Amino acid sequence: MRPGQRLALCLALGLAPLQAAALDCAEPVTTADMSACARAELDAADTALNLAWKAALAHAEELDSYLSEGEEKTADALLTAQRAWIDYRDGQCEGEGFYARGGSLEPLLVATCKARMTRERTEELRTLIEVN
């Protein structure tokens, strides 16, 4: 039973949901713990990426403000690149997860890959701002 289903069942039965033990990502014990920690790491990386994206897009739009009518926009190219990168990251990490296809290790491999690639993309976006 999934955690969300367990909570729904407890609420439907009028029971207080059981408190889960705090997850220690410094020393995860089970594969499920490792996957949860990897997911938390991905969430943090995604938050940083979103901040870098907003800054990079604002910078691109500022560069575009100096363009003449009809010139290709930096912001459009950046958006195209970001969309392609998301597809690439997701496909690459899905492939990495296939090394443990169907096993409990697959989500851990996928989340770890996505977190790594997301941190790398964040640095790429930050570099775009610094270079221009």
Side-chain angles (χ1 to χ4, degrees), residues 42-100:
L42 173 56
D43 290 344
D46 194 48
T47 297
L49 175 72
N50 287 331
L51 291 172
W53 167 254
K54 288 177 184 175
L57 185 60
H59 182 68
E61 289 170 344
E62 180 184 343
L63 291 174
D64 289 345
S65 69
Y66 299 105
L67 295 176
S68 300
E69 185 69 30
E71 289 186 279
E72 292 185 41
K73 302 224 182 273
T74 309
D76 292 343
L78 185 61
L79 181 59
T80 298
Q82 188 67 11
R83 288 177 175 159
W85 174 81
I86 291 167
D87 288 341
Y88 169 72
R89 179 201 63 182
D90 291 352
Q92 176 68 26
C93 293
E94 181 180 0
E96 286 189 25
F98 287 161
Y99 288 104

Side-chain angles (χ1 to χ4, degrees), residues 30-50:
T30 67
T31 305
D33 289 349
M34 291 177 207
S35 291
C37 292
R39 182 65 203 173
E41 190 176 324
L42 173 56
D43 290 344
D46 194 48
T47 297
L49 175 72
N50 287 331

